[in-house]
Amino acid sequence: MAHRTTSSSLTAALWSIALPAMLTNVATALFGLADMWTIGQLADAAAQGGVELGAKAMMASLNLFNFLRTGTVALTARATGADDPYARTQTLVRASTVALTIGAVLLCTMPWLVPVELAALGANNGTQLHYAATIYLSIRFWAAPVWLMNCVLTGWLIGQRRVRSVLLVEVLTNLTHIALDLLLVLVLHHGVAGVAFATFLSETLKFTLLALFAIRSPAMTDILSMLHHTLRDKATWSRDAIARLFSLNRDLFLRTLLLSGAILTFARVGTVQGPTMLAANGILFQLFMLASLILDGFESAAQVLCGEALGRQERLGFTRSLRAAMLWGGALGLVLSLAYALGSGRLIATFSTDPLVVAQALTYAPWLIAVPLAGFASFVLDGAFVGAGWTRAMLGTMGIAMALYTALLLGLADIGNNGLWLAFVVFLMVRAAGQLTMLPVLLRRTFPLPSR
């Protein structure tokens, strides 16, 4: 049954999705934060930098395919809004097939892909940094197919507003992950390999729990009754259906490619400044990711509510949902900026026992204050654009922002790490400005008639 949201219940509907999504995302952020904190207790800048570099390389390999999550959320929400359980079943089948295919390709190309990624990130062969990153990747990479399936299952559950189920999985998985980090690194002294093994085992547990929740989902009754027919139905695998899937996912893939390029460029600039700066930027970037994942709760809410409104062809419901998500996203961005202004120094000091790393991170900590306010609008708008299927427009604005980001990196090279952070903040703001500029045209194109 479609979820219809009146104006009086809009805030409640928004928060019923956003709050569990925020908590889920915070739990997700704990993966990276726990790894950085645990390896930081060894007072080894090369090991901490290696984990940071290895994590960035994994991001390059896997986050390109995050469209499996965002695309599945959007398509599932539209099918739910249109009260079409068969389309919901087809979405899960198609996305799972794509995920398993990509996972198999990644594992086959791992021996060639890992060295290329590390070279692109500036990790010179023979250095301690390169050695640590290679150990990390040689273990964690094997979890790639599981990570991709987790994207599909998470997106499918969120698209049906089963956000609390996803939250419970994330909490259980992250508690396990933290325990494994502490055991393998600080008790059994496996160092970088221990961090990688902890992540591998945690991702496997996450898949198991998500699959169990999916099986227990009310929609699974529809799937089990339709699955055989869905697999044999030519419409499931028709050229038009596959083209629609890949049209959405192609744009999301290319958009994520550009975003990953921005993040990897950020990491490479830190790498060439030495392992101490790399480790310091790694701490700051993990704290940025924490803020962005909290704000992404409103992105998830915008995806679901705007996707449902599109499925019902309700322009008023779409614009009200987007306006509410922007308002609350901005308020939370302000709160996060104030929190970093008051407490980032004490927080950073807990992430490393190396005084040089802590000192470098504290020098550039003020940039953390600007990031939530600079980024909240682009995060919320991403959700609305994906929910509406405006992925080509989102890709275009990302391309413009990436071009300016690259130009700023070159033009601000003389001011070092401050130039890097300034370029990144401008990158976030330009993305939002481009999306807001295109929004009126896209609304007229998508909702040409008055809302019912």
Side-chain angles (χ1 to χ4, degrees):
M1 182 67 101
H3 296 271
R4 294 184 181 275
T5 305
T6 64
S7 57
S8 61
S9 63
L10 178 58
T11 298
L14 180 77
W15 277 99
S16 72
I17 301 169
L19 183 58
M22 286 175 202
L23 297 174
T24 298
N25 290 340
V26 169
T28 301
L30 288 178
F31 263 70
L33 290 169
D35 289 346
M36 287 297 290
W37 184 90
T38 305
I39 202 69
Q41 305 314 299
L42 303 183
D44 185 341
Q48 192 169 24
V51 169
E52 167 66 12
L53 211 60
K56 286 293 191 298
M58 285 303 301
M59 182 183 296
S61 300
L62 296 179
N63 278 18
L64 291 176
F65 308 108
N66 197 46
F67 62 75
L68 289 168
R69 180 183 184 276
T70 53
T72 302
V73 170
L75 294 173
T76 304
R78 281 187 230 168
T80 301
D83 198 14
D84 189 347
Y86 191 64
R88 189 168 53 205
T89 303
Q90 289 179 315
T91 296
L92 180 61
V93 170
R94 292 190 192 111
S96 297
T97 301
V98 172
L100 292 173
T101 302
I102 293 172
V105 171
L106 286 174
L107 290 183
C108 290
T109 58
M110 182 173 68
W112 300 277
L113 189 58
V114 169
V116 169
E117 287 178 338
L118 291 181
L121 288 170
N124 296 322
N125 198 3
T127 62
Q128 288 183 317
L129 189 65
H130 184 278
Y131 177 70
T134 301
I135 290 176
Y136 179 89
L137 287 169
S138 66
I139 298 168
R140 188 178 170 186
F141 212 99
W142 288 97
V146 179
W147 188 92
L148 294 168
M149 278 303 301
N150 288 343
C151 284
V152 172
L153 292 173
T154 298
W156 192 71
L157 289 170
I158 291 176
Q160 300 170 76
R161 300 199 187 188
R162 294 290 307 278
V163 189
R164 292 182 181 178
S165 298
V166 176
L167 170 60
L168 181 57
V169 170
E170 290 289 354
V171 170
L172 293 174
T173 301
N174 276 278
L175 290 174
T176 303
H177 178 73
I178 292 169
L180 288 170
D181 262 344
L182 297 174
L183 175 65
L184 295 174
V185 179
L186 301 183
V187 177
L188 299 180
H189 306 292
H190 288 304
V192 173
V195 171
F197 270 120
T199 303
F200 174 85
L201 294 173
S202 300
E203 289 287 357
T204 304
L205 173 63
K206 182 177 178 178
F207 169 75
T208 303
L209 295 175
L210 285 171
L212 289 174
F213 272 105
I215 291 171
R216 291 171 58 86
S217 169
M220 187 54 69
T221 303
D222 297 330
I223 286 185
L224 293 176
S225 63
M226 299 176 183
L227 184 58
H228 180 70
H229 178 64
T230 302
L231 291 171
R232 294 173 61 87
D233 187 358
K234 292 182 179 179
T236 302
W237 312 109
S238 70
R239 180 178 299 178
D240 289 343
I242 297 297
R244 283 194 300 271
L245 174 69
F246 278 96
S247 175
L248 176 67
N249 287 344
R250 179 196 61 222
D251 294 337
L252 289 173
F253 172 84
L254 292 174
R255 170 257 185 189
T256 307
L257 180 64
L258 291 173
L259 181 59
S260 297
I263 293 171
L264 292 174
T265 301
F266 188 97
R268 181 179 175 84
V269 173
T271 302
V272 300
Q273 298 179 77
T276 299
M277 183 64 78
L278 176 64
N281 274 344
I283 294 171
L284 296 175
F285 197 84
Q286 287 297 333
L287 293 175
F288 155 71
M289 288 300 297
L290 176 62
S292 67
L293 287 171
I294 292 172
L295 291 168
D296 270 352
F298 292 112
E299 178 184 356
S300 296
Q303 279 187 41
V304 174
L305 295 177
C306 291
E308 288 179 358
L310 179 61
R312 299 189 299 268
Q313 278 297 295
E314 293 179 354
R315 174 171 179 157
L316 185 58
F318 187 99
T319 54
R320 284 178 173 174
S321 297
L322 176 56
R323 190 179 300 116
M326 288 287 284
L327 176 64
W328 284 106
L332 184 58
L334 179 60
V335 170
L336 289 170
S337 290
L338 291 173
Y340 279 148
L342 296 173
S344 62
R346 289 186 293 274
L347 188 59
I348 287 168
T350 67
F351 275 86
S352 179
T353 56
D354 186 329
L356 294 178
V357 172
V358 173
Q360 287 280 34
L362 290 174
T363 300
Y364 301 102
W367 287 107
L368 285 175
I369 302 170
V371 166
L373 287 174
F376 83 89
S378 63
F379 302 150
V380 173
L381 288 165
D382 278 351
F385 274 51
V386 172
W390 300 334
T391 51
R392 180 60 55 86
M394 187 168 64
L395 173 61
T397 58
M398 177 67 78
I400 294 171
M402 184 64 183
L404 181 58
Y405 175 64
T406 303
L408 286 173
L409 284 178
L410 295 174
L412 300 173
D414 290 343
I415 61 174
N417 212 48
N418 281 314
L420 174 63
W421 279 99
L422 175 58
F424 191 69
V425 167
V426 172
F427 168 75
L428 295 173
M429 296 175 68
V430 170
R431 283 186 59 214
Q435 289 169 303
L436 286 170
T437 300
M438 300 191 70
L439 184 60
V441 174
L442 294 169
L443 283 171
R444 287 194 297 271
R445 184 185 305 165
T446 304
F447 300 97
L449 298 175
S451 188
R452 293 200 302 269

